[in-house]
Amino acid sequence: MTDGALVDLVGITKQFGGVRALKGVDLSVRSGEVVALVGHNGAGKSVLVQILSGVFPPSSGEIRVGGKPVAFTSPSDARLYAIETIYQTLALADNLDAPANFFLGRELRTRFGFLDKKKMAEEAKKALADLNPNFTDIERPVRQMSGGQRQAIAIARAIHFQVQLLIMDEPTAALGPHETAQVAELIKRLRAQGIGILLISHDVRDVLRLADRIVVLKNGEVVGALTARDTNEDEVVDMIIRGRKLDADGAVK
């Protein structure tokens, strides 16, 4: 186990027929740490995320949570270990309001078996206010909400259900500058609360601004792991494009 790691991936491989999508990937995330996973399309990022979120198992290798080996057969298994994934699509129902989306699939009911809409609205409102005090109009259908507000719903939902590791897939994609700044602030708050974050992004500038560490994937392999404060945009982009590994002194070969 990586010292102090919340989650460890050790020697993860994934094969689809004759295609080796992942080739012995090691990755760890600590509590209160933002780890960015970067690489071109086809590098293996999505496959790795799907394995960690329980969509399908690895062909070989091990997932460890708190140092103990675990096996996920579905996303529900990952949630049992407090791992939540927010995909780029956010998995929100556009026709429902924030409270209904907040408890989607985990609805609260009265002792008579009816939906407890009042309690769901109260809990959703409080959770959203804790995350974004300016987000008060929660009863509109989410299709009428901004991208930043939709992200807030997805993030607040994960926090409410006691997430320890939050996987965020392109959280600022298609957002304007103001909403991107809001999401960045949310990520900083989560880190301050001790939540580990695995951030998947194509935006190297965002990655450098938000991440503690940057892991670069190319052709299913880790070609480098960088400390964000000790690197720069050119170095990260060079590793993504060329897949050049770091030597023992930390310089790109």
Side-chain angles (χ1 to χ4, degrees):
M1 176 181 174
T2 304
D3 186 36
L6 175 67
V7 173
D8 268 310
L9 301 180
V10 183
I12 298 294
T13 72
K14 186 63 183 178
Q15 191 141 344
F16 298 98
V19 178
R20 294 179 64 204
L22 295 175
K23 307 167 186 175
V25 172
D26 294 335
L27 185 145
S28 65
V29 183
R30 299 177 179 87
S31 297
E33 179 184 41
V34 179
V35 177
L37 186 62
V38 301
H40 279 312
N41 289 335
K45 303 187 303 298
S46 295
V47 176
L48 194 65
V49 165
Q50 287 173 310
I51 287 173
L52 185 52
S53 59
V55 175
F56 43 66
S59 298
S60 64
E62 194 170 69
I63 301 172
R64 300 174 188 167
V65 178
K68 298 179 180 179
V70 298
F72 300 151
T73 59
S74 71
S76 296
D77 289 344
R79 292 190 190 105
L80 288 176
Y81 287 92
I83 297 172
E84 292 273 355
T85 303
I86 299 177
Y87 292 103
Q88 188 173 343
T89 58
L90 298 181
L92 299 179
D94 283 349
N95 59 313
L96 301 179
D97 61 15
N101 270 284
F102 196 86
F103 286 98
L104 192 62
R106 294 182 270 203
E107 289 82 1
L108 302 180
R109 296 187 179 274
T110 68
R111 60 192 181 96
F112 300 108
F114 299 109
L115 287 178
D116 195 338
K117 293 184 178 181
K118 181 179 179 182
K119 188 172 183 180
M120 288 193 293
E122 289 172 351
E123 291 194 18
K125 185 174 183 179
K126 182 180 184 304
L128 287 164
D130 288 344
L131 197 63
N132 182 354
N134 296 319
F135 189 0
T136 56
D137 186 8
I138 66 173
E139 296 180 352
R140 290 178 295 145
V142 298
R143 72 161 65 92
Q144 298 176 11
M145 296 182 182
S146 69
Q149 288 173 324
R150 291 164 63 91
Q151 280 282 0
I153 293 170
I155 293 170
R157 178 173 61 190
I159 297 171
H160 183 77
F161 291 103
Q162 305 299 310
V163 65
Q164 292 186 35
L165 174 65
L166 183 62
I167 304 168
M168 304 183 75
D169 182 13
E170 299 287 353
T172 60
L175 297 184
H178 178 67
E179 292 181 332
T180 295
Q182 286 181 327
V183 172
E185 184 59 34
L186 292 179
I187 291 173
K188 292 176 183 177
R189 290 187 192 179
L190 299 180
R191 177 170 52 189
Q193 293 173 23
I195 294 170
I197 297 173
L198 182 60
L199 175 66
I200 293 84
S201 179
H202 284 91
D203 192 324
V204 175
R205 291 181 183 177
D206 265 0
V207 161
L208 288 168
R209 186 160 50 97
L210 296 173
D212 299 297
R213 288 189 295 121
I214 302 168
V215 176
V216 184
L217 276 184
K218 187 175 179 66
N219 298 327
E221 296 181 281
V222 173
V223 295
L226 307 165
T227 302
R229 66 173 178 269
D230 295 330
T231 190
N232 55 58
E233 185 175 352
D234 289 341
E235 184 176 32
V236 176
V237 170
D238 195 53
M239 291 187 68
I240 291 172
I241 295 173
R242 301 177 188 274
R244 296 191 292 182
K245 298 184 179 181
L246 299 179
D247 62 21
D249 298 320
V252 178
K253 293 181 179 178

